[in-house]
Amino acid sequence: MPAIVGSVNIVNLGSSGVFHIGDVFAIRPISYSKTFAGAGSFNVGESVSVYNYQSTTNVSDNDNIDQPIAFTN
């Protein structure tokens, strides 16, 4: 159902965000990311003590495609 929309102020829109005004059938934002994390990463809690004196994270990735986003249209 059409509507009359007044002025719109967009402050920030992320790279995988969707801004839409009006009628729509389906909105499917697509994004992908790759995360590298070493030992002791992603710890949550009130008092976390992690001691990693010799820790390395291998970020070498020789392949071109990890998980393709295909057939989305």
Side-chain angles (χ1 to χ4, degrees), residues 10-73:
I10 301 173
V11 176
N12 189 7
L13 188 63
S15 62
S16 63
V18 174
F19 175 75
H20 175 76
I21 295 177
D23 297 336
V24 67
F25 174 72
I27 296 177
R28 294 180 282 173
I30 298 171
S31 69
Y32 58 92
S33 65
K34 183 182 289 188
T35 304
F36 297 105
S41 299
F42 306 118
N43 290 320
V44 295
E46 292 183 14
S47 60
V48 177
S49 297
V50 178
Y51 300 100
N52 294 314
Y53 294 107
Q54 294 179 355
S55 175
T56 60
T57 301
N58 183 10
V59 296
S60 175
D61 190 8
N62 295 330
D63 58 350
N64 294 329
I65 300 173
D66 288 332
Q67 183 175 355
I69 298 176
F71 306 110
T72 58
N73 295 333

Side-chain angles (χ1 to χ4, degrees), residues 1-8 20-24:
M1 178 177 208
I4 298 173
V5 178
S7 63
V8 176
H20 175 76
I21 295 177
D23 297 336
V24 67

